[in-house]
């Protein structure tokens, strides 16, 4: 028997059509983001921020920066998923409760902090990590939505500088992906074909 988790991986599609009359409550939005933040991040940095646009006015502002894509305003919520440049100074705060509970020696927390400091001194690597964390958060949000019976539509078709300006992102933040989430309307495409495993998998 296929497990529910595998079934949702198999059936998820990138939705383009959403029921514009459907809304999500604060509690539903919070649950989606709570689940999204279960995604792993390097050094447990959790270097992301989720901006949930629900009001028609906020979604309209984003839509105009996303080449007019209708799903931005028709979905119940469109998330701006932001990556944040890693801050190694935040690592103790992210891990100390775990160390205090006895799972990790404090010396390891400090070693991770030093590892992150060295690794992200290079601005390109810091930016890559922000993109990676936000992408993992976005993917987890997408599957959480599916598990809650909601459709999702990821987007990179937007003006990143415009979004940063319009939604007040900090200089250490970047909008990595938009994800529209809501109830699917009729007319969505089925999942598109995937490349054969032989083209994408190497087992060494
Ligand atoms: C990072 C990313 C960016 C995307 N950007 C857009 C977009 O701006 N507009 C859009 O309509 N679809 C966008 N898509 C949806 C892709 O076209 C879709 O995921 C792909 O065709 C596979 O579709 P499927 O998952 O339904 O099989 C994006 C998907 C991803 C993962």
């Amino acid at each position: 028997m296929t497990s529910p988790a595998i079934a949702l991986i198999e059936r998820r599609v990138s939705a383009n059509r959403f029921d514009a009359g459907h809304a999500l409550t604060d509690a539903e939005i919070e649950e989606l983001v709570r689940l999204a933040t279960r995604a792993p991040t390097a050094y447990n940095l959790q270097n992301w921020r989720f901006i949930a646009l629900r009001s028609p006015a906020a979604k309209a502002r984003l839509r105009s920066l996303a080449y007019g894509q209708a799903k931005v305003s028709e979905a119940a919520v469109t998330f701006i998923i932001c990556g944040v440049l890693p801050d190694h100074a935040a690592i103790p705060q992210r891990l100390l409760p775990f160390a205090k509970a006895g799972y990790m020696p404090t010396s390891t927390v400090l070693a991770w902090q030093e590892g992150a400091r060295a690794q992200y001194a290079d601005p390109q690597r810091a930016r890559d990590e922000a993109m990676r964390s936000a992408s993992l958060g976005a993917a987890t949000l997408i599957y959480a939505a599916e598990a809650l019976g909601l459709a999702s539509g990821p987007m990179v078709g937007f003006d990143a500088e415009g979004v940063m300006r319009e939604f007040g992102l900090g200089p250490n933040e970047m909008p990595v992906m938009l994800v529209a989430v809501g109830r699917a309307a009729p007319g969505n495409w089925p999942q598109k074909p995937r490349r054969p495993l032989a083209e994408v998998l190497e087992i060494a």
Side-chain angles (χ1 to χ4, degrees):
M1 203 191 82
T2 308
S3 81
I6 290 174
L8 75 86
I9 290 171
E10 297 276 14
R11 72 169 180 260
R12 181 214 53 80
V13 297
S14 296
N16 201 34
R17 304 213 170 154
F18 289 86
D19 174 355
H22 170 238
L24 285 171
T25 63
D26 283 12
E28 288 169 319
I29 294 169
E30 284 164 7
E31 180 62 355
L32 282 165
V33 174
R34 190 187 72 79
L35 291 167
T37 61
R38 296 294 161 145
T41 49
Y43 301 102
N44 199 30
L45 280 163
Q46 303 169 69
N47 51 326
W48 44 36
R49 194 157 73 88
F50 299 77
I51 304 174
L53 303 183
R54 179 174 56 186
S55 73
K59 289 189 288 187
R61 275 161 61 212
L62 181 61
R63 182 172 170 174
S64 69
L65 293 164
Y67 310 110
Q69 295 191 70
K71 56 180 164 285
V72 171
S73 46
E74 288 174 357
V77 170
T78 296
F79 290 91
I80 304 170
I81 302 188
C82 306
V84 181
L85 295 176
D87 174 12
H88 65 276
I91 287 181
Q93 173 201 335
R94 308 269 148 84
L95 289 172
L96 278 180
F98 197 64
K100 282 205 181 106
Y103 293 115
M104 186 186 245
T106 307
S107 58
T108 305
V109 175
L110 298 175
W112 282 26
Q113 182 180 13
E114 174 51 24
R117 189 201 59 72
Q119 185 163 352
Y120 303 124
D122 172 1
Q124 181 65 52
R125 291 171 87 180
R127 191 182 153 81
D128 288 350
E129 205 57 67
M131 300 291 281
R132 219 169 357 240
S133 295
S135 299
L136 283 163
T140 306
L141 178 76
I142 285 169
Y143 285 105
E146 190 72 33
L148 295 170
L150 298 167
S152 63
M155 288 165 268
V156 284
F158 63 92
D159 165 7
E161 283 180 7
V163 168
M164 287 181 70
R165 214 175 30 245
E166 184 72 20
F167 293 94
L169 271 62
N172 61 336
E173 295 181 315
M174 62 198 77
V176 170
M177 211 184 299
L178 309 181
V179 181
V181 175
R183 188 182 290 150
N188 281 301
W189 283 334
Q191 196 179 78
K192 295 181 203 73
R194 290 321 197 241
R195 295 169 65 193
L197 270 190
E199 283 184 15
V200 299
L201 170 66
E202 175 183 332
I203 300 178

